[in-house]
Amino acid sequence: MNILSPSILSADFWRLGEQVKEVEKAGAQYLHIDVMDGMFVPSISFGLPVLKCIRRETSLFLDVHLMVERPERHVEAFAESGADLINFHIEASADVEKTIQAIRRMGKKAGITIKPGTPPEAAAPFLGMVDMVLVMTVEPGAGGQELIPQCLDKVRRIREMAKEKRLCVDIQVDGGIRVENVHQALEAGANVIVAGSAVFQGDIGANIRDFKRRMEQQA
């Protein structure tokens, strides 16, 4: 199933609660929450208090993307604060398998992420352990960037590897995705689409409906 996961990194934080409700009303299935520590990536975003507040007010599936050093330190706290899925960078973890196991112990879905410079084969040993692989299609750390087309080749390769292993795994893309190019990501094998500025700039409801229409055409 093709799933839209709007990223609140591009939301208006003065109106965050209101905008999350708009996302929910428009029919998005997931909400993408980018957590940045200023170390693994240059920027600092938000953390547990924001997640707790969102969890209290929405039934959306909360798709938490940890762009932090040593993500294993934070699994329990984010799970307890309301994450439904915890996705972390394999480049940032001292022990990827143990971090996946820690997420599982908390009863949450687990995901791994690779940056544009990381080969898709780096994800291969973990495909049978996770629910999702996130392929960054921009350098992590800032919204509003242009999609790097070569990253879609990684999506294709990971989808091929999953099929070879007869695994059912979601593949998510994040970075530079717009209504005009979402078909490229879907054709490459992605089925979970993160969109930030393309959702939150302008009419949120209309933007989500446009995305869903395009994504349903590719289903």
Side-chain angles (χ1 to χ4, degrees), residues 65-135:
H65 175 197
L66 298 182
M67 289 179 269
V68 303
E69 292 285 357
R70 295 173 56 206
E72 57 274 9
R73 297 174 298 159
H74 305 291
V75 166
E76 184 174 348
F78 277 93
E80 291 177 346
S81 295
D84 291 301
L85 179 145
I86 298 174
N87 211 324
F88 66 96
H89 280 261
I90 63 174
E91 306 94 346
S93 178
D95 191 319
V96 173
E97 186 170 346
K98 282 187 178 179
T99 305
I100 293 168
Q101 292 170 348
I103 296 169
R104 294 284 192 213
R105 281 197 299 272
M106 295 302 296
K108 305 299 180 179
K109 289 191 172 185
I112 54 172
T113 307
I114 60 171
K115 297 197 295 183
T118 301
E121 288 75 16
F126 313 108
L127 288 180
M129 306 177 193
V130 297
D131 301 284
M132 180 186 289
V133 178
L134 167 53
V135 177

Side-chain angles (χ1 to χ4, degrees), residues 95-212:
D95 191 319
V96 173
E97 186 170 346
K98 282 187 178 179
T99 305
I100 293 168
Q101 292 170 348
I103 296 169
R104 294 284 192 213
R105 281 197 299 272
M106 295 302 296
K108 305 299 180 179
K109 289 191 172 185
I112 54 172
T113 307
I114 60 171
K115 297 197 295 183
T118 301
E121 288 75 16
F126 313 108
L127 288 180
M129 306 177 193
V130 297
D131 301 284
M132 180 186 289
V133 178
L134 167 53
V135 177
M136 292 298 299
T137 45
V138 298
E139 288 296 336
Q145 301 180 63
E146 290 296 316
L147 180 145
I148 303 170
Q150 295 86 346
C151 291
L152 296 181
D153 292 333
K154 297 183 184 185
V155 174
R156 292 185 184 92
R157 180 60 186 138
I158 291 171
R159 181 58 73 196
E160 288 171 0
M161 290 189 292
K163 287 181 178 179
E164 289 167 2
K165 296 174 182 285
R166 298 184 179 179
L167 297 172
C168 182
V169 60
D170 288 328
I171 300 180
Q172 184 178 67
V173 290
D174 180 2
I177 305 294
R178 306 184 304 276
V179 171
E180 295 79 13
N181 64 14
V182 68
H183 67 283
Q184 298 175 20
L186 297 171
E187 289 168 358
N191 69 298
V192 184
I193 303 297
V194 176
S197 55
V199 165
F200 286 98
Q201 287 182 1
D203 187 325
I204 292 171
N207 291 338
I208 288 175
R209 287 189 291 273
D210 285 345
F211 262 107
K212 292 189 71 179

Side-chain angles (χ1 to χ4, degrees), residues 5-6 8 20 23 29-33 54 60-63 200:
S5 188
I8 65 167
V20 169
V23 166
Q29 303 99 315
Y30 286 14
L31 193 69
H32 192 77
I33 299 175
I54 293 172
L60 286 167
F61 184 95
L62 299 185
D63 163 26
F200 286 98

